[in-house]
Every structure is written in structure tokens, then in C-alpha cells.
């Protein structure tokens, strides 16, 4: 039985040219698409900065550079300064970040190095769900839970034992209202810790297992592995997680508005009511007439807050050693 010779299909040169033209058109379209997306992000960000700066031009013209360092905010006398809300924003953010970083680091390391895979998956899912809780829920929880606890237990305890200590006395004096910078920092810490934990968990999971196993094989403890292997390898990712949490804390509005007291004043007591840039804008923006100095001052506050966010990002890049 003889088999008929099979006819081989030859690809003509024209088909190759069509494929090359199609591939070239696809690559060009994809290049334009991603480039346009990057350009849109840049234009939106630049538009926000220009909008805030242009809207606050009247405040900068009237008060000058002193606007950023003047601590009086009085709508009755039409006298405005950004230092009081800026002070509250910076201090409450620092308190929240300093509390959240150890919590996030410990939780992430426990999930990746100590907990069993089943427990790690369950707790990790819970952390991600906690990160999805709306900020206003955290604010209500802080108002009904943290504020009374601080007023009834934390501040009276500290005042009773440390009211005569030279360094701590200025930080804890004041009436036990429960609202203030410390309460806002505690709520911010609970809010940003899940974000930081999720990022650190992913970073720690990316550490090559061979490095961990080699360290354990040489007799290293978990503390040695964390200090000499995990932390140096994950340094950039940990800084990125801290910056992500800091950015969330700097711009947080409703949760802070519930628990900070909303008093435009400057002082070192962490238990005294204060205000932040975001909470002040949220409270007074609806009451500010169009074209007024008050509205211009609020827009100038937003402009300064964006500059503060850029400074924190630049500082993070410096700490990472990313100069490119």
C-alpha cells in the first residue's frame, strides 16, 4: 500500500510581512496606550497641585510666607494661619506610624516565619479585610471606644504618676476629654497597620528560602534570621510599607475628625484637642463662601499638604537609597 505524498504548505513571504506589520501596529498601539496612561496620571497630579496653588493664591498674597507658620485660625477676624493644623497633622501621623510599624512588622514576620500555613492564611485574610474597613467606621469606633478609655484610664494614670516629671509633664497635662493627638494617633495606627502588614508580608515572603534555611542550618535563631537576613533583604519594601501608611495617615479625614477634638491650637500635650489639615478642610469647607479669604486659605492648606506628601515621598526615596 503506497501512501500519497503529503503536500507541505509553504508560507509565502507576503504572510510574514503581514504578521510583521500587524505586530508593529500592535506594539505601537500598546506603546501609545501605556504612555498615554502615564501622561494622564501626570496631568491629573499636576492639575491638582495647580488647582490648589491657584485657589490659595489670595491667602498667600495676603499673609505671605507667614501663612505656613502662623498658628491663628480665626474666621471672625479673617485671620488665618496653617501652623496649627500642620502641627496636628505631623504629630498625629508620627504617633500613628511609630505605633503601627512594630505592630505591622511583628504581625508580618509571625505570619511568614512562625505561624502554620493554615493559620497564616486565615489571619492574613483577616488583616486584608481589616484594611478594607471604611475610615468612618474607624472614626466611630474610636469615638465610642478609644476616647472614653483614654479619658478614664490612660490619661488619669499618666497624670497621677508622671505629672511632676520634667519631660513628661508638658506632654500629659490637660483636662481628660479623651480627644487629642494621642487618640488620633491610636486610631491612625489601627487604620494603617493592616496596609503596612500586607505589604511587609509580601516582602518577607519574597525572601529566598535558601537564605533562611542556610541561616538556620548554621545555628541561627529566629531573631538572628530576622535581624541578619530578613530585614536587610526587605529594607526597601519595609520603607515602602511605612511610606504607604504615612501617606494614608497624612490625608485621613473622617476618622481623625471624630477623635482629635478639632481645636486649632498648638501645644505639646498629646491629650489636648487639636486639628489636622484634612479635618479642618472637611469641617469648614462647606461653610466657606466662594471667593472668600477663608476658602482661599483652605485651598492653600490643601496645597501645603500635597507638598508635605511630596517631601515625605522624597525622604522615603532617600532612605531607600533610590537616587535615580
Amino acid at each position: 500500500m503506497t501512501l500519497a505524498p503529503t503536500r507541505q504548505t509553504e508560507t509565502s513571504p507576503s504572510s510574514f510581512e503581514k504578521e510583521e506589520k500587524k505586530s508593529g501596529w500592535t506594539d505601537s498601539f500598546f506603546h501609545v496606550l501605556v504612555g498615554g496612561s502615564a501622561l494622564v496620571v501626570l496631568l491629573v497630579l499636576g492639575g491638582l497641585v495647580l488647582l490648589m496653588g491657584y485657589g490659595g493664591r489670595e491667602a498667600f498674597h495676603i499673609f505671605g510666607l507667614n501663612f505656613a507658620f502662623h498658628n491663628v485660625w480665626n474666621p471672625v477676624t479673617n485671620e488665618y494661619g496653617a501652623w496649627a493644623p500642620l502641627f496636628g497633622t505631623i504629630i498625629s501621623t508620627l504617633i500613628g506610624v511609630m505605633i503601627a510599624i512594630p505592630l505591622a512588622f511583628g504581625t508580618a514576620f509571625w505570619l511568614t516565619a512562625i505561624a502554620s500555613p493554615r493559620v497564616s492564611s486565615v489571619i492574613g485574610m483577616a488583616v486584608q479585610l481589616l484594611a478594607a474597613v471604611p475610615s468612618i467606621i474607624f472614626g466611630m469606633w474610636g469615638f465610642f471606644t478609644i476616647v472614653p478609655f483614654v479619658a478614664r484610664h490612660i490619661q488619669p494614670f499618666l497624670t497621677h504618676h508622671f505629672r511632676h516629671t520634667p519631660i513628661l509633664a508638658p506632654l500629659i497635662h490637660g483636662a481628660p476629654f479623651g480627644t487629642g493627638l494621642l487618640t488620633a494617633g491610636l486610631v491612625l495606627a489601627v487604620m494603617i497597620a493592616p496596609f503596612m502588614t500586607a505589604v511587609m508580608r509580601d516582602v518577607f515572603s519574597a525572601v529566598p528560602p535558601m537564605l533562611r534555611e542556610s541561616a538556620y542550618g548554621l545555628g541561627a535563631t529566629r531573631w538572628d534570621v530576622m535581624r541578619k537576613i530578613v530585614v536587610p533583604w526587605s529594607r526597601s519594601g519595609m520603607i515602602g510599607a511605612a511610606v504607604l501608611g504615612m501617606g494614608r495617615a497624612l490625608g485621613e479625614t473622617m476618622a481623625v475628625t471624630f477623635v482629635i477634638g478639632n481645636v486649632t491650637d498648638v501645644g505639646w500635650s498629646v491629650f489636648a484637642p487639636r486639628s489636622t489639615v484634612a479635618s479642618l478642610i472637611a469641617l469648614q469647607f462647606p461653610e466657606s463662601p466662594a471667593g472668600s479669604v477663608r476658602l482661599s486659605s483652605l485651598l492653600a492648606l490643601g496645597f501645603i499638604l500635597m507638598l508635605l506628601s511630596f517631601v515625605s515621598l522624597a525622604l522615603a526615596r532617600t532612605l531607600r537609597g533610590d537616587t535615580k
Side-chain angles (χ1 to χ4, degrees), residues 122-153:
V122 174
I123 302 298
M125 182 66 67
V127 170
Q128 294 178 357
L129 291 177
L130 187 61
V133 175
S135 60
I136 193 171
I137 303 301
F138 283 105
M140 297 172 64
W141 167 75
F143 182 79
F144 289 109
T145 304
I146 303 299
V147 171
F149 183 78
V150 170
R152 297 172 186 173
H153 301 284

Side-chain angles (χ1 to χ4, degrees), residues 56-79:
R57 70 190 186 283
E58 185 177 356
F60 289 123
H61 176 73
I62 295 175
F63 304 107
L65 295 178
N66 191 41
F67 174 79
F69 304 99
H70 191 48
N71 63 350
V72 176
W73 187 277
N74 192 346
V76 178
T77 59
N78 233 17
E79 185 178 3

Side-chain angles (χ1 to χ4, degrees), residues 224-240:
D224 294 329
V225 172
M226 178 190 69
R227 184 168 57 92
K228 298 180 180 180
I229 303 297
V230 176
V231 172
W233 181 274
S234 309
R235 177 174 173 268
S236 297
M238 292 169 59
I239 294 175

Side-chain angles (χ1 to χ4, degrees), residues 178-221:
T179 57
L181 294 173
L182 180 62
T183 308
L186 291 173
V187 174
L188 287 175
V190 176
M191 288 186 59
I192 66 179
F195 292 92
M196 299 168 65
T197 301
V199 175
M200 289 186 184
R201 182 190 179 191
D202 293 338
V203 173
F204 293 166
S205 299
V207 177
M210 181 178 62
L211 297 179
R212 298 175 184 265
E213 295 171 359
S214 301
Y216 285 128
L218 292 174
T221 62

Side-chain angles (χ1 to χ4, degrees), residues 45 62 102 140 169 171 211-212 293 304 308 311:
L45 181 60
I62 295 175
M140 297 172 64
L171 299 177
L211 297 179
R212 298 175 184 265
V293 180
I304 294 176
L308 185 63
V311 170

